[in-house]
Each structure stands twice: as C-alpha cells, then as structure tokens.
C-alpha cells in the first residue's frame, strides 16, 4: 500500500491479547470483559447526517 505509514498502524486486539496471556502466565487473573456499547445504526446516522446537511444548505436550522 503506497503512501501508508505502517509505523502509525497498531492492533489493539493483539495488544490486549498479549497483555491477557502475560497476566495469566504470571499467575494473575483475567478481568471480566467490559460491557459493550449497543451497536450504532449506521444507516440512521447517515440519513440524519444527509438530512442535516440538506437543511444547512437550504438555510434551515434544526
């Protein structure tokens, strides 16, 4: 991939997995997973964004 600085890329999942493995290997305990956030409805967010942009372009404010 031309133009991509791979030094800026990182893998949060792999990093968290390595921390977990190291913790367990040292005799530590794993913490329960954090509560996940409900998924965002991407289509609804896109529709709202388009609607807001159209309103802004036409001079109407929400």
């Amino acid at each position: 991939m031309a133009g991509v600085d791979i030094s800026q890329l990182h893998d949060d999942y792999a990093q968290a997995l390595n921390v977990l493995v190291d913790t367990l290997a040292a005799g530590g305990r794993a913490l329960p997973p954090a509560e996940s956030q409900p998924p965002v409805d991407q289509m609804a967010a896109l529709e709202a964004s388009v609607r807001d942009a159209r309103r802004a372009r036409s001079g109407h404010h929400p």
Side-chain angles (χ1 to χ4, degrees):
M1 295 186 337
V4 175
D5 183 5
I6 62 170
S7 68
Q8 299 296 317
L9 302 176
H10 61 279
D11 186 348
D12 292 332
Y13 179 82
Q15 183 179 4
L17 183 60
N18 286 334
V19 168
L20 175 62
V21 169
D22 291 344
T23 299
L24 294 175
R29 297 189 61 186
L31 297 174
E35 276 191 42
S36 62
Q37 299 295 320
V40 174
D41 184 345
Q42 295 292 320
M43 192 53 139
L46 176 60
E47 289 169 346
S49 175
V50 169
R51 187 172 45 252
D52 292 345
R54 285 182 179 155
R55 284 184 187 144
R57 215 178 7 210
S58 68
H60 294 100
H61 297 284

